[in-house]
Amino acid sequence: MIGIIDYGMGNLYSVSKALERMNYQYIVTNDKNKLHECKGLILPGVGAFRDAMTILNETDLTSFIQNEVASGKPLLGICLGMQLLFDESEENGLTTGLQLLKGRIVRIPGVTKSGDTYKVPHMGWNKLKFHHPESPLLSNVEEGHVYFVHSYYAVPEDAEVVLASSTYDVEVPAVVGKGNVYGTQFHPEKSSDIGLAILKNFAAIVEGRGE
């Protein structure tokens, strides 16, 4: 069973429907007891970093997620959910994140080094470039196009956590992972076969832990 964490800021419908299409058992809830019984967790997210962390802190989900990860439970953050995995974000003032990965979330500059401006948010399809194709999250996945919608991106302290990236003037970490913590900046549930393959791989990671 995969638990989709419902804290009021996630794209719950599309994520749950993607799992449903692949016949994976899931539950959408904010009940920590029910989430604790799940073998793996997905943290979706749409909106602002500070608002999300305020809710997670007020509902004690911050410490819950940290403890579940410490126990070895696989966690997948999606879009804003991926950004929340890091130490802090500069969005709307410096805000502390879940501190599961070292690094900071910063705004896409929107201006090239030569002074040309470009559109922010980064919205639409962009191609993945793999850095660690051996990761179980990327098993049998192609370096194709996936769907992004974001104005901020991660700057990890350790480049080794970047499993795949995309270029939008700056190098955007598109897939991150360390230990049992994974994240995608793009929406895998909206990214056709590639995104579904990544969700399938995460499910396999979760199932493997239960063996």
Side-chain angles (χ1 to χ4, degrees), residues 49 82-83 86-91 94-95 101-107 152-157 173:
F49 191 103
M82 188 204 93
Q83 296 180 5
F86 286 87
D87 287 326
E88 59 189 16
S89 172
E90 67 177 26
E91 184 178 5
L94 199 61
T95 303
L101 297 174
K102 295 292 184 183
R104 175 179 283 195
I105 305 302
V106 302
R107 184 170 173 80
Y152 289 78
Y153 71 107
V155 181
E157 285 187 10

PDB file of all heavy atoms in Angstrom, residues 49 82-83 86-91 94-95 101-107 152-157 173:
ATOM      1  N   PHE A  49       5.966  27.151  -1.117  1.00  0.00           N
ATOM      2  CA  PHE A  49       6.764  26.400  -0.143  1.00  0.00           C
ATOM      3  C   PHE A  49       6.386  26.772   1.290  1.00  0.00           C
ATOM      4  O   PHE A  49       6.146  25.900   2.126  1.00  0.00           O
ATOM      5  CB  PHE A  49       8.246  26.695  -0.396  1.00  0.00           C
ATOM      6  CG  PHE A  49       9.212  25.808   0.350  1.00  0.00           C
ATOM      7  CD1 PHE A  49       9.860  24.782  -0.311  1.00  0.00           C
ATOM      8  CD2 PHE A  49       9.499  26.024   1.691  1.00  0.00           C
ATOM      9  CE1 PHE A  49      10.776  23.975   0.364  1.00  0.00           C
ATOM     10  CE2 PHE A  49      10.406  25.216   2.362  1.00  0.00           C
ATOM     11  CZ  PHE A  49      11.048  24.183   1.694  1.00  0.00           C
ATOM     12  N   MET A  82       8.778  17.686  -3.982  1.00  0.00           N
ATOM     13  CA  MET A  82      10.212  17.471  -4.104  1.00  0.00           C
ATOM     14  C   MET A  82      10.995  18.606  -3.459  1.00  0.00           C
ATOM     15  O   MET A  82      11.979  18.390  -2.748  1.00  0.00           O
ATOM     16  CB  MET A  82      10.626  17.350  -5.576  1.00  0.00           C
ATOM     17  CG  MET A  82      12.084  16.934  -5.763  1.00  0.00           C
ATOM     18  SD  MET A  82      12.824  17.414  -7.342  1.00  0.00           S
ATOM     19  CE  MET A  82      13.561  18.997  -6.885  1.00  0.00           C
ATOM     20  N   GLN A  83      10.555  19.841  -3.687  1.00  0.00           N
ATOM     21  CA  GLN A  83      11.253  20.987  -3.114  1.00  0.00           C
ATOM     22  C   GLN A  83      11.226  20.949  -1.583  1.00  0.00           C
ATOM     23  O   GLN A  83      12.199  21.325  -0.920  1.00  0.00           O
ATOM     24  CB  GLN A  83      10.636  22.279  -3.627  1.00  0.00           C
ATOM     25  CG  GLN A  83      10.792  22.469  -5.128  1.00  0.00           C
ATOM     26  CD  GLN A  83      10.166  23.754  -5.632  1.00  0.00           C
ATOM     27  OE1 GLN A  83       9.681  24.565  -4.869  1.00  0.00           O
ATOM     28  NE2 GLN A  83      10.166  23.940  -6.951  1.00  0.00           N
ATOM     29  N   PHE A  86      14.106  19.481   0.725  1.00  0.00           N
ATOM     30  CA  PHE A  86      15.382  20.152   0.964  1.00  0.00           C
ATOM     31  C   PHE A  86      15.380  20.984   2.250  1.00  0.00           C
ATOM     32  O   PHE A  86      14.354  21.130   2.914  1.00  0.00           O
ATOM     33  CB  PHE A  86      15.745  21.003  -0.252  1.00  0.00           C
ATOM     34  CG  PHE A  86      16.209  20.173  -1.421  1.00  0.00           C
ATOM     35  CD1 PHE A  86      15.292  19.648  -2.324  1.00  0.00           C
ATOM     36  CD2 PHE A  86      17.549  19.895  -1.598  1.00  0.00           C
ATOM     37  CE1 PHE A  86      15.709  18.865  -3.381  1.00  0.00           C
ATOM     38  CE2 PHE A  86      17.982  19.116  -2.656  1.00  0.00           C
ATOM     39  CZ  PHE A  86      17.060  18.596  -3.546  1.00  0.00           C
ATOM     40  N   ASP A  87      16.545  21.511   2.584  1.00  0.00           N
ATOM     41  CA  ASP A  87      16.727  22.229   3.846  1.00  0.00           C
ATOM     42  C   ASP A  87      15.868  23.473   3.962  1.00  0.00           C
ATOM     43  O   ASP A  87      15.271  23.730   5.009  1.00  0.00           O
ATOM     44  CB  ASP A  87      18.205  22.647   4.012  1.00  0.00           C
ATOM     45  CG  ASP A  87      19.109  21.488   4.343  1.00  0.00           C
ATOM     46  OD1 ASP A  87      18.658  20.569   5.051  1.00  0.00           O
ATOM     47  OD2 ASP A  87      20.270  21.508   3.895  1.00  0.00           O
ATOM     48  N   GLU A  88      15.828  24.258   2.873  1.00  0.00           N
ATOM     49  CA  GLU A  88      15.160  25.553   2.969  1.00  0.00           C
ATOM     50  C   GLU A  88      14.831  26.088   1.587  1.00  0.00           C
ATOM     51  O   GLU A  88      15.365  25.630   0.575  1.00  0.00           O
ATOM     52  CB  GLU A  88      16.041  26.559   3.720  1.00  0.00           C
ATOM     53  CG  GLU A  88      17.394  26.789   3.062  1.00  0.00           C
ATOM     54  CD  GLU A  88      18.343  27.610   3.907  1.00  0.00           C
ATOM     55  OE1 GLU A  88      18.104  27.756   5.115  1.00  0.00           O
ATOM     56  OE2 GLU A  88      19.344  28.109   3.342  1.00  0.00           O
ATOM     57  N   SER A  89      13.939  27.091   1.574  1.00  0.00           N
ATOM     58  CA  SER A  89      13.555  27.756   0.324  1.00  0.00           C
ATOM     59  C   SER A  89      13.558  29.258   0.545  1.00  0.00           C
ATOM     60  O   SER A  89      13.210  29.743   1.628  1.00  0.00           O
ATOM     61  CB  SER A  89      12.166  27.304  -0.123  1.00  0.00           C
ATOM     62  OG  SER A  89      11.709  28.075  -1.220  1.00  0.00           O
ATOM     63  N   GLU A  90      13.916  29.996  -0.507  1.00  0.00           N
ATOM     64  CA  GLU A  90      13.896  31.455  -0.445  1.00  0.00           C
ATOM     65  C   GLU A  90      12.554  32.027  -0.888  1.00  0.00           C
ATOM     66  O   GLU A  90      12.360  33.241  -0.874  1.00  0.00           O
ATOM     67  CB  GLU A  90      15.013  32.037  -1.303  1.00  0.00           C
ATOM     68  CG  GLU A  90      14.844  31.807  -2.791  1.00  0.00           C
ATOM     69  CD  GLU A  90      15.920  32.462  -3.632  1.00  0.00           C
ATOM     70  OE1 GLU A  90      17.038  32.665  -3.125  1.00  0.00           O
ATOM     71  OE2 GLU A  90      15.652  32.778  -4.804  1.00  0.00           O
ATOM     72  N   GLU A  91      11.593  31.162  -1.250  1.00  0.00           N
ATOM     73  CA  GLU A  91      10.299  31.625  -1.728  1.00  0.00           C
ATOM     74  C   GLU A  91       9.516  32.314  -0.602  1.00  0.00           C
ATOM     75  O   GLU A  91       9.279  31.729   0.452  1.00  0.00           O
ATOM     76  CB  GLU A  91       9.484  30.450  -2.278  1.00  0.00           C
ATOM     77  CG  GLU A  91       8.153  30.855  -2.885  1.00  0.00           C
ATOM     78  CD  GLU A  91       7.382  29.685  -3.463  1.00  0.00           C
ATOM     79  OE1 GLU A  91       7.840  28.529  -3.312  1.00  0.00           O
ATOM     80  OE2 GLU A  91       6.321  29.921  -4.069  1.00  0.00           O
ATOM     81  N   LEU A  94      12.928  33.259   3.606  1.00  0.00           N
ATOM     82  CA  LEU A  94      13.596  31.996   3.887  1.00  0.00           C
ATOM     83  C   LEU A  94      12.746  31.123   4.813  1.00  0.00           C
ATOM     84  O   LEU A  94      12.321  31.558   5.884  1.00  0.00           O
ATOM     85  CB  LEU A  94      14.961  32.258   4.525  1.00  0.00           C
ATOM     86  CG  LEU A  94      15.970  31.116   4.474  1.00  0.00           C
ATOM     87  CD1 LEU A  94      16.284  30.754   3.019  1.00  0.00           C
ATOM     88  CD2 LEU A  94      17.241  31.504   5.206  1.00  0.00           C
ATOM     89  N   THR A  95      12.481  29.885   4.369  1.00  0.00           N
ATOM     90  CA  THR A  95      11.634  28.960   5.113  1.00  0.00           C
ATOM     91  C   THR A  95      12.317  27.605   5.197  1.00  0.00           C
ATOM     92  O   THR A  95      12.828  27.093   4.200  1.00  0.00           O
ATOM     93  CB  THR A  95      10.266  28.781   4.411  1.00  0.00           C
ATOM     94  OG1 THR A  95       9.641  30.051   4.260  1.00  0.00           O
ATOM     95  CG2 THR A  95       9.362  27.866   5.218  1.00  0.00           C
ATOM     96  N   LEU A 101      17.150  16.350   2.401  1.00  0.00           N
ATOM     97  CA  LEU A 101      18.237  16.502   1.442  1.00  0.00           C
ATOM     98  C   LEU A 101      18.880  17.863   1.669  1.00  0.00           C
ATOM     99  O   LEU A 101      18.178  18.850   1.922  1.00  0.00           O
ATOM    100  CB  LEU A 101      17.719  16.404  -0.001  1.00  0.00           C
ATOM    101  CG  LEU A 101      17.083  15.084  -0.435  1.00  0.00           C
ATOM    102  CD1 LEU A 101      16.499  15.222  -1.839  1.00  0.00           C
ATOM    103  CD2 LEU A 101      18.094  13.945  -0.393  1.00  0.00           C
ATOM    104  N   LYS A 102      20.190  17.932   1.560  1.00  0.00           N
ATOM    105  CA  LYS A 102      20.912  19.176   1.770  1.00  0.00           C
ATOM    106  C   LYS A 102      20.812  20.077   0.541  1.00  0.00           C
ATOM    107  O   LYS A 102      21.078  19.629  -0.580  1.00  0.00           O
ATOM    108  CB  LYS A 102      22.388  18.901   2.083  1.00  0.00           C
ATOM    109  CG  LYS A 102      22.618  18.153   3.390  1.00  0.00           C
ATOM    110  CD  LYS A 102      22.241  19.021   4.561  1.00  0.00           C
ATOM    111  CE  LYS A 102      22.551  18.334   5.877  1.00  0.00           C
ATOM    112  NZ  LYS A 102      22.105  19.158   7.037  1.00  0.00           N
ATOM    113  N   GLY A 103      20.427  21.337   0.758  1.00  0.00           N
ATOM    114  CA  GLY A 103      20.359  22.270  -0.350  1.00  0.00           C
ATOM    115  C   GLY A 103      19.258  23.282  -0.162  1.00  0.00           C
ATOM    116  O   GLY A 103      18.492  23.241   0.813  1.00  0.00           O
ATOM    117  N   ARG A 104      19.171  24.210  -1.105  1.00  0.00           N
ATOM    118  CA  ARG A 104      18.223  25.321  -1.019  1.00  0.00           C
ATOM    119  C   ARG A 104      17.399  25.401  -2.300  1.00  0.00           C
ATOM    120  O   ARG A 104      17.881  25.092  -3.391  1.00  0.00           O
ATOM    121  CB  ARG A 104      18.968  26.636  -0.803  1.00  0.00           C
ATOM    122  CG  ARG A 104      18.075  27.868  -0.826  1.00  0.00           C
ATOM    123  CD  ARG A 104      18.846  29.143  -0.575  1.00  0.00           C
ATOM    124  NE  ARG A 104      19.175  29.310   0.835  1.00  0.00           N
ATOM    125  CZ  ARG A 104      19.592  30.450   1.380  1.00  0.00           C
ATOM    126  NH1 ARG A 104      19.744  31.527   0.617  1.00  0.00           N
ATOM    127  NH2 ARG A 104      19.866  30.533   2.658  1.00  0.00           N
ATOM    128  N   ILE A 105      16.152  25.860  -2.153  1.00  0.00           N
ATOM    129  CA  ILE A 105      15.274  26.112  -3.284  1.00  0.00           C
ATOM    130  C   ILE A 105      15.350  27.605  -3.620  1.00  0.00           C
ATOM    131  O   ILE A 105      15.151  28.452  -2.746  1.00  0.00           O
ATOM    132  CB  ILE A 105      13.816  25.720  -2.955  1.00  0.00           C
ATOM    133  CG1 ILE A 105      13.748  24.264  -2.473  1.00  0.00           C
ATOM    134  CG2 ILE A 105      12.929  25.945  -4.171  1.00  0.00           C
ATOM    135  CD1 ILE A 105      14.295  23.250  -3.441  1.00  0.00           C
ATOM    136  N   VAL A 106      15.656  27.905  -4.894  1.00  0.00           N
ATOM    137  CA  VAL A 106      15.821  29.298  -5.328  1.00  0.00           C
ATOM    138  C   VAL A 106      14.965  29.548  -6.566  1.00  0.00           C
ATOM    139  O   VAL A 106      14.536  28.616  -7.251  1.00  0.00           O
ATOM    140  CB  VAL A 106      17.296  29.621  -5.638  1.00  0.00           C
ATOM    141  CG1 VAL A 106      18.180  29.361  -4.425  1.00  0.00           C
ATOM    142  CG2 VAL A 106      17.787  28.821  -6.837  1.00  0.00           C
ATOM    143  N   ARG A 107      14.724  30.816  -6.860  1.00  0.00           N
ATOM    144  CA  ARG A 107      13.881  31.177  -8.002  1.00  0.00           C
ATOM    145  C   ARG A 107      14.639  31.031  -9.314  1.00  0.00           C
ATOM    146  O   ARG A 107      15.835  31.374  -9.399  1.00  0.00           O
ATOM    147  CB  ARG A 107      13.373  32.613  -7.855  1.00  0.00           C
ATOM    148  CG  ARG A 107      12.394  33.020  -8.968  1.00  0.00           C
ATOM    149  CD  ARG A 107      11.727  34.347  -8.687  1.00  0.00           C
ATOM    150  NE  ARG A 107      10.927  34.797  -9.820  1.00  0.00           N
ATOM    151  CZ  ARG A 107       9.701  34.367 -10.101  1.00  0.00           C
ATOM    152  NH1 ARG A 107       9.116  33.490  -9.312  1.00  0.00           N
ATOM    153  NH2 ARG A 107       9.042  34.823 -11.150  1.00  0.00           N
ATOM    154  N   TYR A 152      10.507  27.841  -9.086  1.00  0.00           N
ATOM    155  CA  TYR A 152      11.681  27.661  -8.220  1.00  0.00           C
ATOM    156  C   TYR A 152      12.305  26.307  -8.508  1.00  0.00           C
ATOM    157  O   TYR A 152      11.633  25.394  -9.001  1.00  0.00           O
ATOM    158  CB  TYR A 152      11.277  27.762  -6.746  1.00  0.00           C
ATOM    159  CG  TYR A 152      10.910  29.163  -6.321  1.00  0.00           C
ATOM    160  CD1 TYR A 152       9.673  29.703  -6.650  1.00  0.00           C
ATOM    161  CD2 TYR A 152      11.805  29.956  -5.611  1.00  0.00           C
ATOM    162  CE1 TYR A 152       9.334  30.999  -6.294  1.00  0.00           C
ATOM    163  CE2 TYR A 152      11.473  31.257  -5.234  1.00  0.00           C
ATOM    164  CZ  TYR A 152      10.240  31.773  -5.579  1.00  0.00           C
ATOM    165  OH  TYR A 152       9.923  33.051  -5.229  1.00  0.00           O
ATOM    166  N   TYR A 153      13.594  26.185  -8.216  1.00  0.00           N
ATOM    167  CA  TYR A 153      14.271  24.920  -8.467  1.00  0.00           C
ATOM    168  C   TYR A 153      15.290  24.652  -7.367  1.00  0.00           C
ATOM    169  O   TYR A 153      15.672  25.557  -6.603  1.00  0.00           O
ATOM    170  CB  TYR A 153      14.936  24.927  -9.838  1.00  0.00           C
ATOM    171  CG  TYR A 153      16.162  25.813  -9.971  1.00  0.00           C
ATOM    172  CD1 TYR A 153      17.442  25.267 -10.044  1.00  0.00           C
ATOM    173  CD2 TYR A 153      16.050  27.197 -10.045  1.00  0.00           C
ATOM    174  CE1 TYR A 153      18.564  26.073 -10.180  1.00  0.00           C
ATOM    175  CE2 TYR A 153      17.153  28.011 -10.180  1.00  0.00           C
ATOM    176  CZ  TYR A 153      18.416  27.442 -10.247  1.00  0.00           C
ATOM    177  OH  TYR A 153      19.526  28.252 -10.369  1.00  0.00           O
ATOM    178  N   ALA A 154      15.718  23.411  -7.272  1.00  0.00           N
ATOM    179  CA  ALA A 154      16.616  22.992  -6.198  1.00  0.00           C
ATOM    180  C   ALA A 154      18.077  23.230  -6.571  1.00  0.00           C
ATOM    181  O   ALA A 154      18.484  23.007  -7.715  1.00  0.00           O
ATOM    182  CB  ALA A 154      16.396  21.524  -5.875  1.00  0.00           C
ATOM    183  N   VAL A 155      18.851  23.674  -5.585  1.00  0.00           N
ATOM    184  CA  VAL A 155      20.306  23.754  -5.708  1.00  0.00           C
ATOM    185  C   VAL A 155      20.884  22.875  -4.596  1.00  0.00           C
ATOM    186  O   VAL A 155      21.104  23.331  -3.472  1.00  0.00           O
ATOM    187  CB  VAL A 155      20.816  25.203  -5.581  1.00  0.00           C
ATOM    188  CG1 VAL A 155      22.333  25.248  -5.742  1.00  0.00           C
ATOM    189  CG2 VAL A 155      20.145  26.106  -6.615  1.00  0.00           C
ATOM    190  N   PRO A 156      21.114  21.592  -4.879  1.00  0.00           N
ATOM    191  CA  PRO A 156      21.601  20.680  -3.843  1.00  0.00           C
ATOM    192  C   PRO A 156      23.058  20.965  -3.476  1.00  0.00           C
ATOM    193  O   PRO A 156      23.847  21.420  -4.311  1.00  0.00           O
ATOM    194  CB  PRO A 156      21.469  19.300  -4.488  1.00  0.00           C
ATOM    195  CG  PRO A 156      20.598  19.493  -5.690  1.00  0.00           C
ATOM    196  CD  PRO A 156      20.837  20.896  -6.133  1.00  0.00           C
ATOM    197  N   GLU A 157      23.392  20.685  -2.227  1.00  0.00           N
ATOM    198  CA  GLU A 157      24.796  20.809  -1.817  1.00  0.00           C
ATOM    199  C   GLU A 157      25.641  19.712  -2.454  1.00  0.00           C
ATOM    200  O   GLU A 157      26.802  19.927  -2.791  1.00  0.00           O
ATOM    201  CB  GLU A 157      24.904  20.726  -0.286  1.00  0.00           C
ATOM    202  CG  GLU A 157      24.444  21.976   0.442  1.00  0.00           C
ATOM    203  CD  GLU A 157      24.737  21.912   1.919  1.00  0.00           C
ATOM    204  OE1 GLU A 157      25.473  20.989   2.358  1.00  0.00           O
ATOM    205  OE2 GLU A 157      24.228  22.784   2.650  1.00  0.00           O
ATOM    206  N   PRO A 173      17.470  20.391 -11.480  1.00  0.00           N
ATOM    207  CA  PRO A 173      17.360  19.007 -11.015  1.00  0.00           C
ATOM    208  C   PRO A 173      15.933  18.511 -11.218  1.00  0.00           C
ATOM    209  O   PRO A 173      14.994  19.044 -10.632  1.00  0.00           O
ATOM    210  CB  PRO A 173      17.726  19.099  -9.531  1.00  0.00           C
ATOM    211  CG  PRO A 173      18.595  20.317  -9.428  1.00  0.00           C
ATOM    212  CD  PRO A 173      17.984  21.284 -10.410  1.00  0.00           C
TER     213      PRO A 173
END
